[in-house]
Amino acid sequence: MKCLTNKWREGAMLLSFLLISSLAGIFTACDDIEDEYITDTQLSILQESRTSLNYLLKNSTYGTAPGTYPETGKDILNAAIAELDALITRVEAGEELDETTLEAAVAKVNQAIDEFKNSKYYNLSPEAQQYINNLLAKADEILAIVNDETKWGNHQGQYPVENKSVLESAAKDLESLAERIKSGSITDMTQEIYDEAIAAADKKVEEVEDSAWPDNSQITWNLFVDGNAGSYIDFGYSEDYVKFGEDDNQAFTIELWVNIKEYCNKQGEDNCTFLSTMTNDPYWSGWRAQDRTKGLLRTMVAHWQDNNHTNPQEWEPGWKKSDNWTKDRWTHYAFLFRDKGLPGFDTPTDVKCYSMIDGTRQGEVIRVGESWRTYINKQSIANQIKMTGFCMMDNNGNRNEWFSGYIKKIRIWKTNRTENQVYASYMGNEEGVSADNPNLVEAWDFEVKGDQPTQSATRTITGLKGHTATLVGDNWQWIESTDITDNK
């Protein structure tokens, strides 16, 4: 605690940091922590505060000479100690203080330390005192910029947040010079020293001002669709979305990122559809990626159960980590399918499909021995089923199984991607996403940089290969990526 007697402006800051760090430990504690533990922690904070004040009281030098504290300074510390003693008595008796009361006690300790420090006698000339006042005023001016949050961010005209440290350093240098003058370390303060200090500070301020963003090109916006309020994406019909080769020899991969803001709010429905091309008119055809029961990621895919293309059924391989884990979280989801079997297994011709989540194979693997159990797209083509996002359509064209949130970087491939390629996509190192790649059916990012897009300019969005996606309804908007909750 000796630093408290040697630091002029920093002593209170140090104690404040220590005490508020302790406070954070109390009020972010888990609910199941015993009350006794919380009370003991509050008691230790108050006792440590008292120890700090008592150290200053007992170890400071009192008198009338420069560098000493007046006898009246003791009154400041004794009054603060008395208030703490009253609180300590209450806590020792079993009372649990609320956050506001404890924070107020810490604030009063800091105020007492500041008042005590400022009572110190100094033998300063009027000129030296003026230098000190001017230096501290300049430091406060710079710190006012640091503390003005409207000046910091990634929008045009704002300063990059990481440059706060430049101004904090400038203010600290000015405060340090003022302290050295006040403590007597500098005995011959001159205008030249002062001017050099101010010029150095101004240079840092100018450096930060020059770093202001000239435009919004660094800002990322993601498409939010409020499916619970009626909006969705209509991708239209294209055979490309469901036909991935000749019958009995098809392979495809669906990749996307999803962040669910609110699960489906329709009574009795527990699915949240990401993308769907599916129909059951008159039998199941196509595929649909979704979240079921608030956390089960899966894809439903139609297949023939019996030989000679008979008995249409569906597979639904999926994986659930825990309840609600997909909410407010960016999750990378991929579904891999191949009629002839996926590689990487001891009997690869038997493995038809599985999911990958955040770059890793997860959950059920569909492994069957019968070669005729192959993908069905017939009725999706015959009925020209539109692909939809944020919902699926029933046979009457009614919207069902919707949700509200975000989908980005949709990739539809007419091949089975390798697990290494899917992992690379998850890690942000996509391979093969180009208009001239024949295995890429389509790619939509639903993520843009620059100025915030408007509804009128982005209601129809064209994919990398030319297919269009139309936003239906008006309950959608572009949200700055830094404002999107991600509990990953």
Side-chain angles (χ1 to χ4, degrees):
M1 298 301 295
K2 288 185 179 179
C3 59
L4 289 176
T5 62
N6 296 329
K7 295 290 187 179
W8 170 48
R9 297 189 87 197
E10 296 176 5
M13 293 174 63
L14 174 60
L15 182 57
S16 175
F17 172 77
L18 292 173
L19 296 180
I20 290 183
S21 295
S22 298
L23 276 173
I26 293 175
F27 294 109
T28 59
C30 298
D31 291 338
D32 59 352
I33 294 177
E34 296 293 337
D35 289 345
E36 181 180 354
Y37 173 81
I38 295 176
T39 302
D40 287 347
T41 304
Q42 291 183 342
L43 183 59
S44 66
I45 289 174
L46 296 174
Q47 289 173 335
E48 288 169 7
S49 300
R50 191 188 192 287
T51 299
S52 300
L53 291 169
N54 193 58
Y55 185 91
L56 285 176
L57 179 65
K58 301 298 184 183
N59 292 277
S60 299
T61 303
Y62 300 92
T64 57
T68 65
Y69 294 92
E71 288 292 328
T72 55
K74 294 180 180 180
D75 297 336
I76 298 170
L77 299 178
N78 281 324
I81 290 171
E83 286 195 44
L84 280 177
D85 284 342
L87 282 177
I88 289 171
T89 299
R90 289 163 55 187
V91 174
E92 286 178 334
E95 179 179 347
E96 182 181 335
L97 304 179
D98 59 42
E99 182 176 359
T100 301
T101 300
L102 197 54
E103 285 183 342
V106 172
K108 285 186 177 180
V109 170
N110 288 330
Q111 291 169 4
I113 290 174
D114 285 339
E115 186 178 356
F116 178 75
K117 290 292 185 181
N118 291 332
S119 71
K120 194 173 186 178
Y121 287 121
Y122 292 96
N123 187 17
L124 297 172
S125 67
E127 292 80 5
Q129 187 62 59
Q130 188 62 53
Y131 284 133
I132 291 172
N133 293 341
N134 291 346
L135 289 167
L136 294 180
K138 183 67 173 180
D140 289 342
E141 176 186 318
I142 293 172
L143 290 175
I145 299 174
V146 173
N147 295 325
D148 184 352
E149 294 301 327
T150 64
K151 294 184 179 297
W152 304 93
N154 60 354
H155 287 250
Q156 183 177 8
Q158 290 183 316
Y159 310 134
V161 174
E162 58 267 24
N163 285 346
K164 279 188 175 184
S165 60
V166 176
L167 295 188
E168 289 169 342
S169 173
K172 184 177 180 180
D173 289 344
L174 294 171
E175 290 173 343
S176 177
L177 177 57
E179 183 178 348
R180 283 184 284 134
I181 299 171
K182 193 170 186 180
S183 66
S185 298
I186 298 178
T187 57
D188 187 19
M189 180 63 188
T190 64
Q191 185 68 38
E192 183 180 2
I193 295 174
Y194 171 82
D195 290 342
E196 287 177 355
I198 296 298
D202 285 339
K203 184 177 181 180
K204 290 184 177 181
V205 172
E206 184 178 351
E207 177 185 335
V208 170
E209 290 175 342
D210 290 343
S211 73
W213 296 106
D215 52 39
N216 289 325
S217 60
Q218 66 286 339
I219 300 177
T220 300
W221 303 89
N222 289 103
L223 179 63
F224 171 77
V225 176
D226 193 348
N228 283 332
S231 285
Y232 66 97
I233 302 178
D234 181 356
F235 293 90
Y237 167 73
S238 173
E239 186 178 286
D240 297 340
Y241 300 152
V242 291
K243 185 175 177 59
F244 307 109
E246 298 304 317
D247 287 350
D248 304 320
N249 190 26
Q250 299 191 68
F252 64 95
T253 303
I254 309 299
E255 287 185 87
L256 54 84
W257 286 88
V258 60
N259 187 322
I260 297 175
K261 186 69 177 174
E262 295 293 342
Y263 294 106
C264 184
N265 65 356
K266 185 177 180 179
Q267 187 71 28
E269 289 193 354
D270 61 1
N271 288 323
C272 298
T273 301
F274 307 151
L275 294 173
S276 179
T277 65
M278 242 178 160
T279 183
N280 64 351
D281 181 17
Y283 56 82
W284 286 116
S285 297
W287 56 269
R288 178 179 58 171
Q290 62 191 16
D291 179 301
R292 187 184 183 196
T293 63
K294 300 180 179 180
L296 173 63
L297 293 176
R298 71 177 188 178
T299 290
M300 177 186 289
V301 59
H303 72 94
W304 299 113
Q305 181 71 9
D306 297 332
N307 205 356
N308 298 317
H309 290 182
T310 57
N311 190 14
Q313 301 288 332
E314 69 278 347
W315 286 312
E316 298 177 301
W319 180 73
K320 184 173 184 176
K321 180 179 180 180
S322 59
D323 289 341
N324 303 310
W325 80 278
T326 50
K327 186 175 184 294
D328 290 324
R329 180 190 193 276
W330 277 116
T331 303
H332 186 261
Y333 178 75
F335 178 74
L336 291 74
F337 183 97
R338 186 170 183 262
D339 279 330
K340 298 296 186 181
L342 292 163
F345 296 85
D346 54 349
T347 56
T349 57
D350 294 346
V351 176
K352 301 292 186 178
C353 56
Y354 57 84
S355 299
M356 292 184 68
I357 298 168
D358 287 346
T360 302
R361 185 197 310 159
Q362 299 281 14
E364 183 182 4
V365 173
I366 301 300
R367 184 193 292 257
V368 295
E370 297 83 1
S371 60
W372 61 75
R373 294 190 182 182
T374 56
Y375 167 66
I376 306 173
N377 57 22
K378 187 174 181 180
Q379 295 308 311
S380 294
I381 295 173
N383 296 328
Q384 296 195 350
I385 300 300
K386 295 179 179 181
M387 185 168 74
T388 53
F390 294 89
C391 72
M392 68 163 293
M393 296 295 185
D394 64 19
N395 295 336
N396 296 315
N398 298 313
R399 196 176 60 94
N400 286 292
E401 300 184 352
W402 52 73
F403 76 100
S404 300
Y406 308 84
I407 297 176
K408 68 178 180 179
K409 297 188 182 299
I410 295 173
R411 310 293 186 242
I412 303 175
W413 306 88
K414 54 182 175 181
T415 184
N416 55 286
R417 299 282 276 175
T418 69
E419 291 193 5
N420 285 340
Q421 287 173 322
V422 173
Y423 179 77
S425 295
Y426 165 65
M427 295 299 294
N429 303 311
E430 289 187 303
E431 302 174 10
V433 183
S434 61
D436 59 358
N437 186 339
N439 288 322
L440 179 65
V441 173
E442 192 53 274
W444 288 274
D445 282 351
F446 297 135
E447 182 177 81
V448 298
K449 286 185 175 291
D451 295 331
Q452 183 177 20
T454 62
Q455 280 197 347
S456 60
T458 56
R459 185 169 291 278
T460 298
I461 301 172
T462 303
L464 187 62
K465 305 275 285 212
H467 299 82
T468 58
T470 301
L471 277 297
V472 179
D474 293 322
N475 296 299
W476 56 275
Q477 59 182 311
W478 294 90
I479 303 295
E480 189 172 351
S481 61
T482 55
D483 292 334
I484 299 173
T485 301
D486 185 12
N487 295 323
K488 195 168 183 178

